[in-house]
Amino acid sequence: MSRRVEKKRITETEYKMAFARMHLTTDLAEAVGTSDFIVEAIVEKLEEKRQLFAKLDELAPKHAILATNSSTIVNSKIATATSRPDKVCNMHFFNPPLKMDLVEVVTGPETSEETARTAVKLVKKLGKTPILLRKEISGFIANRLLGAMNREALSLLEQGIATHEEIDLAAREALGHPMGPFALMDMTGLDVNYYVQLQQYEESGDPLLKPSRILQEKFEKGELGRKSGKGFYTY
């Protein structure tokens, strides 16, 4: 946010007002007790999400919509942990959400039309662009396209065809991407990328979706990208 002030994208007053509207807490009951709309963004593991949604179902008002930010785990796998599957949906923001305009809203078999409309309306109120998917599929639209590129980039690296810097350069200069796949994986977190690929592999059984050797090695070493100071690049 401070960088956005420096670049004159927002004013100092807008910056201060944004933080004044935020309230941080580690108490789940306090966080959701009077909430109308809740967006979960914890680790990409199904059982942990199900456990959290079961708690949210108990603590949040009965009218509250429970959305998951996951792009890998479809909401129908989570909704059954609650007594309100009609009020559960995916609401997938892209990283970094301050900059990225698109939000994917996905309905499950039991998601109500009212829930879908409310989620789309909220996305628009946030000044972002919604895509509404009425059929579930892991990865939705953008991340399925991105996942295919990441798998090919990792394959090229493992085969010794090119370095990660050269592959990123090709993505930027030939394809017009703002950053290459390896820089992007470092930014989002190699642990997130590893869990996403592992979840897709376990769901499908497709060996092509199994996390790559290099990604698994970096995950096991704790080289998770920007958050740890080292991933494919050093920070």
Side-chain angles (χ1 to χ4, degrees):
M1 289 285 281
S2 58
R3 286 197 298 270
R4 291 171 74 85
V5 175
E6 291 171 11
K7 294 178 180 179
K8 300 189 184 304
R9 291 177 179 168
I10 60 172
T11 66
E12 183 73 24
T13 299
E14 289 172 323
Y15 169 85
K16 291 178 179 178
M17 287 176 63
F19 278 90
R21 288 192 292 268
M22 291 174 64
H23 175 66
L24 309 180
T25 179
T26 56
D27 186 321
L28 188 62
E30 179 187 359
V32 306
T34 59
S35 297
D36 299 311
F37 201 110
I38 298 161
V39 183
E40 162 274 320
I42 68 167
V43 67
E44 198 73 350
K45 292 184 177 180
L46 175 58
E47 198 48 47
E48 294 196 28
K49 289 186 186 290
R50 284 180 58 84
Q51 290 173 10
L52 176 59
F53 269 68
K55 291 177 183 176
L56 294 175
D57 191 41
E58 294 176 5
L59 297 171
K62 294 301 179 184
H63 70 271
I65 291 173
L66 311 180
T68 174
N69 186 50
S70 177
S71 67
T72 312
I73 303 171
V74 293
N75 70 80
S76 61
K77 292 180 179 291
I78 301 171
T80 52
T82 76
S83 63
R84 61 179 92 184
D86 60 312
K87 290 182 170 59
V88 179
C89 66
N90 287 77
M91 191 173 183
H92 177 228
F93 290 80
F94 291 86
N95 196 29
L98 275 175
K99 183 177 180 181
M100 301 299 283
D101 179 62
L102 190 71
V103 179
E104 293 172 318
V105 176
V106 187
T107 63
E110 296 191 64
T111 306
S112 71
E113 188 63 30
E114 182 183 5
T115 295
R117 282 198 306 268
T118 302
V120 167
K121 185 178 179 181
L122 177 57
V123 171
K124 291 179 179 178
K125 191 174 181 181
L126 293 172
K128 297 188 177 296
T129 302
I131 290 180
L132 178 60
L133 280 71
R134 297 188 178 276
K135 186 174 181 179
E136 292 185 323
I137 186 169
S138 177
F140 312 148
I141 298 174
N143 276 356
R144 288 184 74 85
L145 298 172
L146 180 62
M149 185 180 75
N150 286 351
R151 285 192 295 275
E152 186 60 32
L154 287 161
S155 175
L156 290 170
L157 181 62
E158 287 184 342
Q159 293 177 68
I161 305 297
T163 66
H164 65 274
E165 295 97 338
E166 291 167 332
I167 296 168
D168 276 0
L169 181 63
R172 294 196 308 272
E173 299 303 321
L175 303 179
H177 293 187
M179 65 174 65
F182 293 101
L184 182 58
M185 283 188 273
D186 272 3
M187 186 180 73
T188 57
L190 300 189
D191 52 338
V192 174
N193 284 274
Y194 175 76
Y195 286 134
V196 164
Q197 291 187 18
L198 186 63
Q199 180 70 30
Q200 290 178 328
Y201 170 63
E202 290 176 346
E203 280 186 13
S204 66
D206 185 345
L208 293 176
L209 299 180
K210 188 175 183 179
S212 75
R213 172 182 53 80
I214 290 178
L215 185 60
Q216 183 170 351
E217 287 175 356
K218 288 196 171 289
F219 170 77
E220 292 172 350
K221 288 179 184 177
E223 296 177 0
L224 307 179
R226 291 188 186 184
K227 68 174 75 175
S228 67
K230 184 177 181 182
F232 290 102
Y233 295 89
T234 301
Y235 300 89

